[in-house]
Amino acid sequence: MYLESSIGTSRVKRGLADMLRGGVIMDVVNPEQAKIAEDSGAVAVMALERVPSDIRRDGGVARMSDPEMIVGIQKMVTIPVMAKSRIGHFAEAQILQALDVDFIDESEVLTPADEANHIDKWAFTVPFVCGATNLGEALRRIGEGACMIRSKGEAGTGNIVEAVRHLRTINAEIRRLHTADSSELYTLAKDLGAPLALVQEVAELGKLPVPLFCAGGISTPADAALVLQMGAEAVFVGSGIFKSSDPERMARAIVEATTHYQDASVLARVSTGLGDAMKGFETSTLDQRFAERGW
Amino acid sequence: MPRVGVLALQGDVREHVSVLKVLGVQVSTVKTREELAEVEALIIPGGESTTMSHLLEISNLRADLSERLADGLAVLGTCAGLILLSKNISDGRSDQWSFGALDVDVRRNGYGRQVASFETLVEVAGIGKVQSVFIRAPRIERFGSDVEILASLDDGDGPHPVLVRQGAVWGCSFHPELTTDSRIHGMFVESIDASR
């Protein structure tokens, strides 16, 4: 069709991740929420049946969403629609690709399907995002073909502490590589459990070769500004919007805070009179830590 | 050298800044009215057009930018930037607005959703073949007689323009900022110099 053209190249897949930078990706469970998200300036929506805080409350096995619900959301909005597959569940990913979703999140929020292997993401045309708690995990996912990394945080808690821990860890490990002597990179690659070529690339670039976003616990405009100032390039907000007392207002405030994250006067204005943020959990009381899923 | 701004509300701002720096241009990012007032030309980057139009309004930039465009500001819009500069938009939100600075009508995601996104070579007038990356790209489906076509692509449905220019306003369906080739930005920067 096109002269020497190709679909699904790394540049095309990582390119969409680049287009989402500086934006807010919002979890939505129905077309009405998707509309509110788009109206509020979301850069993409994540279509799922239950937000993480409800998955946490309900227990049981959490799986890919019903295609009918995903298609309903695709019809409602013009922005990219993402959906989650279970870790290692490549058949769910095949289904999501057949539905023309724009991005797949191989997510620890769902119940893992494979305790040893993640999905071979190079086999897909659709781009993937994966979570990571440290640099080795991030580079293993990129080695498998992930086009975007999100620090995991602890989804469904409304508590930013784990997201901060994971972002700080990833950034500190990147700085370590960036200042390392080239002869040290072999042992550092072994210690990180990461492919040598990617370790060398990060050492050279001083950053990941794909965008680094932040997820898991962002529930206020100030939370978004915090992680962006720490180097996250965009934010995922899950339960934080639709579990707050005024979702539309919270959504708009987090979008504005994400653009003007360095301007404290804007942050003060958008943080004023927002109503109640989601209640949230103190993470030390959790029975199940989603962030521990993935290998 | 002109001072070129890159609209930095959302999207792949950094890539445009890098290309402009390679070209030796003085670059600044634009998030506020004050920052917009200081630039002599502007790039509207790739990203989500609905998000950028929302942010243009809440950041009080819509009226100012509209005025600058009417005054002949040199602007290059890539992908979402092209959508924002166009006259009419189809397959967008029902309330989606645009500046109408470029006499073209675009269809959002006119080349398909992400799984249909692609890269290919296109022949650009004056510079030759350019590797071009189309990501959920808008398709130009109508253009006025004052619009100069600098590159077209035939996707099986006849050739459609993918790089156009109308006076000081440039629009591009693809992302010249995603490759290391700086020639399209170079053409745009030269056109600013020529018009001063």
Side-chain angles (χ1 to χ4, degrees):
Chain A
M1 188 162 69
Y2 307 103
L3 179 70
E4 295 170 54
S5 78
S6 35
I7 60 168
T9 62
S10 273
R11 192 144 57 186
V12 165
K13 294 200 281 187
R14 291 180 180 184
L16 179 59
D18 286 323
M19 296 313 139
L20 302 176
R21 295 205 320 255
V24 182
I25 299 156
M26 300 183 192
D27 278 5
V28 297
V29 301
N30 58 46
E32 293 68 38
Q33 288 188 354
K35 184 73 170 53
I36 292 171
E38 187 180 65
D39 287 348
S40 309
V43 80
V45 290
M46 177 74 70
L48 73 177
E49 266 162 6
R50 290 176 291 169
V51 294
S53 61
D54 289 339
I55 292 174
R56 197 174 279 290
R57 186 197 62 209
D58 297 349
V61 175
R63 309 180 177 88
M64 175 188 83
S65 297
D66 183 342
E68 185 179 6
M69 173 268 188
I70 294 169
V71 171
I73 287 172
Q74 286 173 322
K75 283 187 182 146
M76 178 61 81
V77 296
T78 64
I79 55 179
V81 175
M82 300 184 169
K84 289 183 194 287
S85 76
R86 283 180 264 180
I87 289 173
H89 205 315
F90 52 84
E92 283 187 348
Q94 288 161 0
I95 292 166
L96 294 173
Q97 175 165 285
L99 292 171
D100 271 0
V101 303
D102 295 297
F103 233 105
I104 295 177
D105 183 2
E106 186 182 16
S107 177
E108 69 282 1
V109 169
L110 305 186
T111 310
D114 188 326
E115 293 185 331
N117 306 292
H118 282 247
I119 295 170
D120 173 12
K121 294 164 273 288
W122 296 112
F124 290 79
T125 305
V126 65
F128 279 76
V129 51
C130 289
T133 58
N134 57 52
L135 182 60
E137 197 176 0
L139 296 183
R140 287 193 292 280
R141 298 296 84 78
I142 296 168
E144 295 153 3
C147 298
M148 178 201 292
I149 294 297
R150 54 173 175 72
S151 55
K152 283 180 177 172
E154 191 56 43
T157 62
N159 190 334
I160 198 67
V161 66
E162 296 297 313
V164 167
R165 183 204 315 282
H166 299 155
L167 260 185
R168 282 211 184 275
T169 302
I170 291 169
N171 284 329
E173 289 171 334
I174 289 173
R175 283 195 297 273
R176 170 75 182 98
L177 290 188
H178 196 45
T179 54
D181 186 274
S182 61
S183 62
E184 296 176 304
L185 296 177
Y186 306 95
T187 301
L188 285 167
K190 186 197 72 179
D191 293 345
L192 287 167
L196 176 62
L198 285 172
V199 168
Q200 289 168 328
E201 190 176 356
V202 171
E204 168 85 31
L205 292 172
K207 64 184 199 60
L208 293 181
V210 303
L212 173 61
F213 290 13
C214 180
I218 296 163
S219 47
T220 65
D223 288 346
L226 175 71
V227 298
L228 286 154
Q229 288 185 41
M230 289 173 60
E233 297 179 282
V235 294
F236 285 83
V237 185
S239 322
I241 288 171
F242 290 99
K243 291 291 177 187
S244 69
S245 63
D246 186 348
E248 182 158 359
R249 186 142 183 219
M250 182 64 82
R252 286 173 183 269
I254 293 178
V255 166
E256 195 166 352
T258 298
T259 292
H260 298 286
Y261 67 93
Q262 290 163 311
D263 186 336
S265 62
V266 172
L267 300 175
R269 175 170 53 75
V270 303
S271 299
T272 305
L274 277 179
D276 295 330
M278 70 177 283
K279 181 158 177 289
F281 297 90
E282 159 55 38
T283 49
S284 60
T285 64
L286 298 175
D287 299 331
Q288 170 73 65
R289 285 182 179 250
F290 293 152
E292 289 169 358
R293 295 167 165 176
W295 11 93
Chain B
M1 273 290 186
R3 178 161 177 185
V4 181
V6 179
L7 189 67
L9 298 172
Q10 191 271 315
D12 68 337
V13 177
R14 187 174 66 220
E15 285 75 7
H16 280 290
V17 170
S18 303
V19 180
L20 292 171
K21 282 186 176 162
V22 166
L23 292 169
V25 175
Q26 200 190 341
V27 195
S28 58
T29 54
V30 172
K31 282 187 183 185
T32 65
R33 302 174 69 186
E34 295 72 29
E35 287 164 349
L36 178 62
E38 286 169 12
V39 301
E40 296 165 83
L42 185 71
I43 290 182
I44 307 179
E48 275 306 308
S49 60
T50 54
T51 302
M52 275 192 238
S53 55
H54 173 80
L55 289 164
L56 280 164
E57 288 199 313
I58 62 172
S59 307
N60 297 314
L61 282 168
R62 182 179 172 181
D64 288 33
L65 182 48
S66 201
E67 207 171 288
R68 292 291 305 272
L69 286 165
D71 287 345
L73 179 72
V75 181
L76 165 64
T78 64
C79 195
L82 164 65
I83 296 170
L84 287 167
L85 292 171
S86 69
K87 189 143 274 178
N88 296 295
I89 304 166
S90 43
D91 289 351
R93 288 167 54 92
S94 55
D95 60 351
Q96 192 164 353
W97 57 269
S98 54
F99 287 109
L102 193 55
D103 187 16
V104 299
D105 295 349
V106 298
R107 182 173 299 280
R108 285 190 57 200
N109 302 329
Y111 294 92
R113 299 183 73 98
Q114 176 60 20
V115 291
S117 294
F118 61 96
E119 55 179 307
T120 189
L121 285 170
V122 297
E123 181 77 29
V124 176
I127 59 176
K129 284 194 168 36
V130 172
Q131 187 69 19
S132 47
V133 188
F134 290 76
I135 296 173
R136 290 170 46 94
R139 193 154 93 150
I140 297 175
E141 300 200 324
R142 185 201 63 82
F143 53 92
S145 54
D146 291 342
V147 175
E148 186 184 351
I149 312 296
L150 298 171
S152 296
L153 180 68
D154 188 346
D155 62 346
D157 188 24
H160 289 267
V162 291
L163 176 63
V164 298
R165 174 184 180 182
Q166 184 177 7
V169 183
W170 297 57
C172 191
S173 290
F174 57 92
H175 293 281
E177 73 278 13
L178 287 185
T179 64
T180 52
D181 187 338
S182 60
R183 289 177 297 168
I184 289 176
H185 287 77
M187 284 168 72
F188 171 65
V189 171
E190 271 176 36
S191 79
I192 311 166
D193 285 334
S195 67
R196 292 205 303 172

